[in-house]
Amino acid sequence: MRYLLLFIGILLTASHTDAMSRKRFTLSGNEDVKTFIPTIETFKEIETSAPAYAWIQTNGSVAVDGKEARFIIKMKKDSLIWSSVNFIIELARAQVTNDSATMIIRTDKTYLSFPADSLQKLLAVQHLSLSAFQRLMLGAAPFGVDSTYTFSKNHETITAQKKSNGYEETILMNDDNYTLQQYSFVVSDSEKVTMTYEDYSRTDKLNLPHS
């Protein structure tokens, strides 16, 4: 389970290399919150801001048992996530498809396999498909944004919020290019996830979060 959670952490916080420029977003206070009314064009621009790719690859480092290990992640849009963690030798490998998730832990010769929809339980996000998970990894709203959300604006931050069927979803976006600043999905106090995105940079013509 430790390596399984490690892989999820890597997938969600992968550092993107070859950074050309970075911009740190600071969330403002709520003293100037105003109603924001999006147009059809706004929704199109939000969706267009999501990274467009067929294949993408990224790599970085992560601490494992106090030592720095390298990882690599490869994704095929809407169909595959593949990842490997290495320290001199390969420690673990994972693959997620639309049907299943498998993991090989070489250090103790363990093989794990479970339905892909188990990610919903592990990440506490309902209806999380592989495609939605990939969008979440790359700093895009996993389910998109439409007129069913309630909008407000605070300085440079647009908030889109939805309360439905026992959950609350909150999306914070930069008002200039609609990149995600923060994503939150709450079912209960013990079942929730919050992700913060910072240091966007250009990698292979894609605007991706560095952290």
Side-chain angles (χ1 to χ4, degrees):
M1 179 60 72
R2 179 171 64 90
Y3 275 104
L4 180 60
L5 295 177
L6 171 64
F7 260 100
I8 292 175
I10 290 173
L11 293 175
L12 291 175
T13 61
S15 297
H16 299 278
T17 57
D18 301 325
M20 295 176 60
S21 62
R22 299 177 183 175
K23 179 179 179 182
R24 179 175 297 276
F25 296 115
T26 302
L27 301 187
S28 304
N30 59 9
E31 68 277 4
D32 294 319
V33 175
K34 300 178 181 179
T35 300
F36 176 75
I37 302 177
T39 64
I40 294 177
E41 189 63 30
T42 303
F43 295 131
K44 291 180 180 179
E45 291 177 358
I46 292 174
E47 187 57 31
T48 302
S49 70
Y53 67 99
W55 280 90
I56 191 171
Q57 176 177 320
T58 186
N59 54 69
S61 60
V62 63
V64 179
D65 295 332
K67 299 178 180 180
E68 185 178 272
R70 300 291 298 176
F71 69 81
I72 183 171
I73 298 172
K74 298 179 181 180
M75 291 196 301
K76 183 178 181 181
K77 185 176 175 62
D78 299 334
S79 60
L80 173 69
I81 302 174
W82 180 93
S83 182
S84 175
V85 175
N86 299 268
F87 178 73
I88 302 178
I89 62 172
E90 186 177 58
L91 301 177
R93 177 183 298 185
Q95 177 175 293
V96 183
T97 66
N98 283 302
D99 300 318
S100 64
T102 58
M103 186 172 186
I104 300 173
I105 305 173
R106 300 194 183 281
T107 52
D108 57 9
K109 299 179 180 179
T110 299
Y111 175 84
L112 302 173
S113 181
F114 47 89
D117 58 12
S118 296
L119 289 173
Q120 299 180 28
K121 298 178 182 179
L122 290 169
L123 295 174
V125 179
Q126 298 175 8
H127 312 300
L128 187 69
S129 64
L130 174 64
S131 177
F133 186 39
Q134 289 178 327
R135 289 172 61 94
L136 192 61
M137 290 171 59
L138 298 175
F143 310 112
V145 178
D146 56 29
S147 59
T148 62
Y149 288 75
T150 300
F151 293 84
S152 61
K153 183 176 181 180
N154 179 10
H155 297 295
E156 297 180 351
T157 300
I158 295 173
T159 299
Q161 191 171 53
K162 178 190 285 188
K163 297 181 180 180
S164 176
N165 299 326
Y167 70 83
E168 181 176 326
E169 183 186 22
T170 304
I171 303 167
L172 304 186
M173 298 173 285
N174 181 269
D175 71 342
D176 181 42
N177 53 17
Y178 303 110
T179 51
L180 258 63
Q181 297 177 346
Q182 190 176 85
Y183 178 81
S184 174
F185 194 99
V186 178
V187 177
S188 65
D189 289 340
S190 60
E191 190 176 353
K192 58 185 177 180
V193 62
T194 298
M195 297 180 60
T196 300
Y197 301 83
E198 297 179 322
D199 294 341
Y200 278 81
S201 62
R202 285 284 174 182
T203 302
D204 295 331
K205 299 181 180 180
L206 299 178
N207 193 28
L208 302 175
H210 179 76
S211 61

